[in-house]
């Protein structure tokens, strides 16, 4: 049985690699194919009577590691200089404003039609409002550079802002001056921790001469993230700062204190670190969506009681996005269609405390929104590619 599982996992990951290579031509988001493969494996297992252990508890672990690596990979790709500030401001606004509007709008709908208190409604609405960088970033790798940069900034910021917003709502019983001050204190704390940890990790990266040097750095990043999470700090801020620092050494090596890190030598190590991060991110992302697909039930996908909510939420996602893109004079096609939900949505959904869960937001709704938003992105990218060809 062990051999069969290893062979199956290897074949599935290799198929996912083929999907990734051919996605530039097919325009089919790999998440749909991965979910489908996972679901098919489940059907084969049920048909053959193969009994597998409960894999549900592994999903949040893969999701957390995947989120860290995906944001880190995106941050390593970003250039941070004065010419990028207008792009950063626009991507920040397009990431934040639709999230807030959609979250409060959906919470109001849950409160009005479901008779649920507003705080619990908001807690359950937030996961539906966050763009998944795990799906968005790989899907736009063949777009023009300025379009790709916008999506990387926007989706990475959406992940970070979504987690901060979610934690703020979940861990505060009331929203007053005290809770806001506490939030800013947490934000300043993680920024200070981020700069100290970034300096220490960069020093280690430049000084370790052992043949194993990148695995300890990645493990330390995961460790710092999770320790920060215990204290309800916005841990993804650390991942973003660390990635931006390493990815922009050429921009900051003019400072004297950077010279102590030997930036030219460090830059070579960063390139190797980036390659390993990309490889690890791919494997973790594939395993996460395969496992989620495996854990899906057919009845959850075809649940008609949540389909109306899912369609309504997806329509609002893209309507709000169109308004914001138009307001900031950003080209609509194909960026309008790149607002998928995925890993971060699942992770936040699984993080909702049992005391705050509501029946309206369930696994069926999550699955349907992920699939519908991915299909919209697929159609939009296909249409955009067709126009470019013409």
């Amino acid at each position: 049985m062990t051999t069969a599982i290893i062979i199956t996992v290897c074949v599935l990951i290799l198929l996912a690699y083929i999907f990734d290579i051919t996605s530039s031509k097919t325009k089919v988001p790999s998440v749909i194919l991965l979910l489908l493969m996972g679901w098919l494996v489940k059907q084969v297992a049920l048909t053959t009577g193969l009994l597998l252990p409960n894999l549900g508890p592994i999903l949040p672990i893969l999701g957390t590691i995947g989120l860290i690596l995906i944001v880190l990979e995106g941050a390593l790709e970003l250039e941070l200089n004065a010419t990028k500030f207008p792009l950063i401001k626009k991507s920040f606004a397009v990431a934040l404003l639709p999230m807030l509007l959609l979250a409060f709008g959906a919470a109001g709908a849950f409160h009005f039609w479901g008779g649920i208190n507003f705080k619990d409604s908001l807690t359950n609405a937030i996961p539906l409002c966050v763009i998944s960088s795990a799906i968005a970033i790989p899907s736009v790798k063949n777009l023009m550079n300025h379009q790709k940069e916008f999506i990387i900034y926007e989706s990475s910021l959406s992940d970070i802002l979504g987690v901060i917003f979610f934690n703020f709502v979940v861990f505060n019983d009331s929203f007053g001056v005290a809770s806001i001050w506490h939030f800013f204190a947490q934000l300043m704390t993680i920024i200070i921790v981020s700069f100290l940890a970034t300096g220490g990790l960069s020093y280690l990266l430049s000084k370790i001469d052992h043949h194993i040097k990148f695995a300890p750095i990645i493990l330390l990043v995961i460790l710092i993230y999770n320790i920060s999470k215990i204290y309800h700090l916005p841990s993804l801020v650390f991942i973003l700062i660390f990635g931006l620092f390493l990815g922009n050494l050429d921009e900051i090596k003019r400072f004297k204190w950077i010279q102590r890190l030997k930036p030219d030598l460090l830059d070579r190590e960063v390139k190797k670190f980036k390659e390993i991060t990309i490889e690890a991110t791919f494997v973790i992302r594939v395993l996460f969506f395969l496992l989620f697909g495996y854990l899906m039930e057919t009845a959850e996908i075809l649940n008609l009681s949540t389909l109306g909510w899912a369609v309504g939420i997806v329509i609002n996602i893209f309507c709000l996005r169109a308004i914001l893109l138009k307001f900031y004079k950003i080209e609509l096609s194909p960026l309008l269609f790149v607002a998928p939900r995925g890993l971060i949505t699942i992770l936040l959904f699984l993080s909702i405390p049992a005391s705050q869960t509501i029946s309206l937001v369930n696994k069926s709704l999550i699955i349907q929104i992920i699939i519908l938003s991915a299909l919209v992105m697929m159609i939009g990218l296909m249409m955009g590619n067709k126009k470019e060809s013409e």
Side-chain angles (χ1 to χ4, degrees):
M1 184 177 177
T2 302
T3 304
I5 292 173
I6 293 172
I7 290 172
T8 302
V9 171
C10 290
V11 169
L12 291 174
I13 293 175
L14 288 171
L15 285 173
Y17 179 63
I18 294 171
F19 294 156
D20 196 62
I21 292 173
T22 58
S23 62
S24 60
K25 293 184 174 65
T26 62
K27 302 300 179 186
V28 178
S30 60
V31 63
I32 293 179
L33 298 172
L34 292 175
L35 291 175
L36 179 60
M37 280 202 302
W39 179 81
L40 287 173
V41 169
K42 176 70 170 289
Q43 305 314 306
V44 171
L46 291 173
T47 304
T48 58
L50 182 64
L51 295 176
L52 293 176
N54 179 22
L55 300 174
I58 302 174
L59 194 66
I61 298 171
L62 285 175
T64 300
I65 296 172
L67 179 63
I68 293 168
L69 293 176
I70 288 159
V71 174
L72 179 59
E73 180 190 349
L76 287 167
E77 291 279 354
L78 296 176
E79 294 179 23
L80 196 61
N81 53 54
T83 62
K84 302 294 180 183
F85 288 154
L87 175 63
I88 294 171
K89 287 192 290 185
K90 287 181 179 180
S91 58
F92 181 86
V94 176
L96 179 62
L97 294 178
M99 181 195 302
L100 293 176
L101 292 171
L102 186 63
F104 283 103
F110 296 154
H111 174 68
F112 181 79
W113 279 290
I116 303 153
N117 75 73
F118 190 79
K119 182 182 182 296
D120 289 350
S121 297
L122 186 58
T123 300
N124 285 262
I126 293 170
L128 311 175
C129 307
V130 185
I131 296 173
S132 172
S133 58
I135 300 174
I137 293 175
S139 299
V140 299
K141 61 185 178 182
N142 296 301
L143 297 183
M144 289 183 284
N145 282 338
H146 70 280
Q147 295 173 331
K148 185 166 63 174
E149 279 186 326
F150 177 82
I151 293 298
I152 292 174
Y153 273 115
E154 182 202 11
S155 59
S156 299
L157 287 169
S158 182
D159 283 352
I160 294 167
L161 294 170
V163 172
I164 292 172
F165 185 23
F166 179 81
N167 288 338
F168 178 75
V169 173
V170 168
F171 296 113
N172 286 286
D173 295 326
S174 60
F175 308 119
V177 175
S179 59
I180 293 172
W181 275 113
H182 182 63
F183 164 72
F184 279 111
Q186 288 179 321
L187 189 59
M188 290 307 300
T189 301
I190 194 62
I191 288 173
I192 293 168
V193 169
S194 298
F195 279 109
L196 292 174
T198 295
L201 291 171
S202 301
Y203 180 78
L204 287 175
L205 193 58
S206 65
K207 291 297 182 182
I208 295 176
D209 57 2
H210 193 264
H211 65 281
I212 298 172
K213 64 188 306 180
F214 300 116
I217 298 297
I218 292 175
L219 290 172
L220 282 168
V221 168
I222 295 171
L223 181 64
I224 293 168
Y225 172 89
N226 283 282
I227 291 173
S228 301
K229 197 175 176 183
I230 291 172
Y231 295 98
H232 308 310
L233 299 175
S235 313
L236 282 178
V237 172
F238 156 63
I239 305 298
L240 183 66
I241 290 174
F242 178 60
L244 287 173
F245 178 84
L246 292 184
N248 290 274
L249 285 172
D250 292 338
E251 298 291 333
I252 58 177
K253 66 181 181 181
R254 62 180 182 274
F255 297 108
K256 289 183 179 179
W257 60 275
I258 294 292
Q259 295 302 319
R260 297 180 183 178
L261 297 176
K262 299 179 181 178
D264 292 330
L265 175 63
L266 181 58
D267 196 39
R268 290 198 295 272
E269 298 301 325
V270 167
K271 288 176 182 175
K272 298 175 187 175
F273 178 70
K274 183 178 174 181
E275 290 172 1
I276 289 175
T277 302
I278 292 170
E279 301 266 356
T281 302
F282 169 77
V283 174
I284 296 294
R285 185 176 67 241
V286 167
L287 289 175
F288 177 85
F289 285 115
L290 283 173
L291 181 55
F292 187 72
Y294 176 83
L295 295 173
M296 288 191 314
E297 300 290 343
T298 307
E300 292 171 338
I301 303 171
L302 304 175
N303 188 348
L304 296 178
S305 65
T306 58
L307 186 59
W309 283 99
V311 171
I313 289 169
V314 170
I315 289 172
N316 278 283
I317 286 170
F318 290 100
C319 287
L320 285 171
R321 184 169 179 79
I323 293 168
L324 265 294
L325 289 176
K326 197 73 174 174
F327 179 79
Y328 284 101
K329 298 178 181 178
I330 301 170
E331 56 191 307
L332 291 181
S333 181
L335 298 181
L336 168 62
F337 307 101
V338 186
R341 272 48 182 168
L343 187 150
I344 186 66
T345 297
I346 299 166
L347 204 56
L348 291 180
F349 170 70
L350 296 174
S351 301
I352 298 173
S355 60
Q356 298 182 39
T357 57
I358 63 176
S359 58
L360 278 174
V361 179
N362 51 37
K363 198 174 173 184
S364 292
L365 183 67
I366 299 295
I367 293 168
Q368 289 169 350
I369 288 175
I370 290 171
I371 293 173
L372 287 172
S373 61
L375 287 173
V376 170
M377 183 178 71
M378 178 183 73
I379 294 167
L381 290 175
M382 285 179 173
M383 289 170 57
N385 186 58
K386 186 178 179 181
K387 287 179 181 178
E388 284 181 15
S389 300
E390 290 174 354

